[in-house]
Amino acid sequence: MQNNATNEFSLAGYRALLAGLFERGYSARDFSNYDAESSHFILRHDIDMSISAACEVAALERDIGVTSTDFVLLRSEQYSPFSESGRAELIELVELGHEVGLHLDASLYDDDAAALDEAAAWECDLLERLIDRPVRIISLHRPAQSLINTQNTLGGRPHTYQRRYFSDIGYCSDSRGAWGHGHPYEHQAVRNKSALQLLTHPIWWTGEAASPTVRLDRYLRGRHETLGHALADNCSIFENGGMA
Ligand SMILES: [Zn+2]
């Protein structure tokens, strides 16, 4: 059974969620050192909206004594890992002991395997230069069905929707701010005490607990404020109130 804390999408809820897994005999591993038959969970964060939210979750994970693999988009309209603050936050994740992987949006490229492979290698190279360390694994952003449960690598690297990570072990995700396919504790893998890939998106867990739509409004207001500061810093007519 779950208590209320483990159902809440907040940092306290996240802490309680992991505590419940520990109580069930689980220990934290990563994509390179888990055993499919053992009570191992692999923490994965896809950074779809905010690297700073990922840093907040990472700070909590440091307190708990776990790390995750954090996947960053290079080509997003919502944040830039190449901005001053974005890069600083990525380095913070690295310094907290997290593995940084590439979050690849395949929809930005031609729909053929060779083009995607080349794009993955190109983006990994950019990310490696940015963080000055190897990028060893990829996660796809909103992958097409044809990219799920495959065995192929991307850009010479494994990816999180390969069969070995996606269906040979348990997979549970908080997409759209809810456990759409059931709470992790109810997952068959956890009932069997076998390995689980647990995907969470930091945006749903940070700040005051709220519904997903309220969170998105809050996120949008924050982005608007940041953009306003950047405009004021870079364009004096904005500072003077002139937009014409
Ligand atoms: Zn994503």
Side-chain angles (χ1 to χ4, degrees), residues 72-115:
V72 60
L73 289 163
L74 297 198
R75 301 186 62 199
S76 169
E77 304 295 341
Q78 298 191 51
Y79 67 82
S80 170
F82 289 89
S83 71
E84 185 184 16
S85 62
R87 182 170 186 271
E89 286 161 351
L90 276 188
I91 299 301
E92 191 178 323
L93 291 175
V94 167
E95 287 173 352
L96 285 166
H98 286 222
E99 179 94 23
V100 173
L102 175 70
H103 201 28
L104 179 67
D105 184 349
S107 72
L108 300 177
Y109 300 96
D110 288 345
D111 186 18
D112 85 69

Side-chain angles (χ1 to χ4, degrees), residues 7-233:
N7 279 323
E8 184 179 88
F9 280 71
S10 65
L11 287 177
Y14 186 69
R15 181 188 287 273
L17 172 69
L18 296 191
L21 286 172
F22 289 131
E23 279 166 20
R24 287 164 172 77
Y26 271 76
S27 57
R29 297 297 168 98
D30 63 32
F31 287 98
S32 66
N33 68 2
Y34 71 95
D35 172 46
E37 306 303 322
S38 299
S39 299
H40 291 159
F41 62 79
I42 303 167
L43 294 178
R44 160 182 161 201
H45 301 310
D46 284 357
I47 305 176
D48 283 0
M49 297 178 204
S50 161
I51 309 176
S52 56
C55 288
E56 281 186 60
V57 173
L60 174 76
E61 288 168 337
R62 177 198 49 205
D63 290 348
I64 298 171
V66 298
T67 57
S68 76
T69 305
D70 295 343
F71 293 91
V72 60
L73 289 163
L74 297 198
R75 301 186 62 199
S76 169
E77 304 295 341
Q78 298 191 51
Y79 67 82
S80 170
F82 289 89
S83 71
E84 185 184 16
S85 62
R87 182 170 186 271
E89 286 161 351
L90 276 188
I91 299 301
E92 191 178 323
L93 291 175
V94 167
E95 287 173 352
L96 285 166
H98 286 222
E99 179 94 23
V100 173
L102 175 70
H103 201 28
L104 179 67
D105 184 349
S107 72
L108 300 177
Y109 300 96
D110 288 345
D111 186 18
D112 85 69
L116 190 58
D117 207 42
E118 193 180 323
W122 177 65
E123 288 203 19
C124 282
D125 180 53
L126 292 173
L127 181 54
E128 287 182 341
R129 288 164 188 259
L130 184 66
I131 61 174
D132 197 24
R133 64 183 49 232
V135 170
R136 290 186 275 242
I137 187 163
I138 292 173
S139 168
L140 291 157
H141 176 63
R142 307 185 68 202
Q145 207 59 37
S146 59
L147 295 170
I148 293 175
N149 258 335
T150 59
Q151 304 208 67
N152 61 303
T153 56
L154 287 170
R157 295 161 177 87
H159 68 84
T160 58
Y161 291 97
Q162 283 176 310
R163 193 173 302 160
R164 61 175 153 156
Y165 301 128
F166 188 72
S167 51
D168 289 352
I169 63 172
Y171 172 84
C172 194
S173 160
D174 69 347
S175 296
R176 293 178 291 280
W179 300 116
H181 298 283
H183 191 279
Y185 299 165
E186 258 90 63
H187 197 288
Q188 197 58 45
V190 175
R191 293 178 188 274
N192 294 344
K193 302 189 180 302
S194 60
L196 179 76
Q197 177 187 171
L198 182 60
L199 165 60
T200 52
H201 297 77
I203 195 75
W204 305 130
W205 298 88
T206 51
E208 203 176 315
S211 71
T213 49
V214 168
R215 282 179 181 280
L216 293 181
D217 276 347
R218 195 161 65 199
Y219 165 72
L220 188 57
R221 282 199 301 276
R223 294 297 302 145
H224 186 266
E225 200 174 311
T226 302
L227 187 55
H229 290 312
L231 274 175
D233 287 346

Side-chain angles (χ1 to χ4, degrees), residues 228 230-244:
L231 274 175
D233 287 346
N234 288 282
C235 185
S236 59
I237 58 168
F238 180 80
E239 194 174 28
N240 295 333
M243 287 293 284

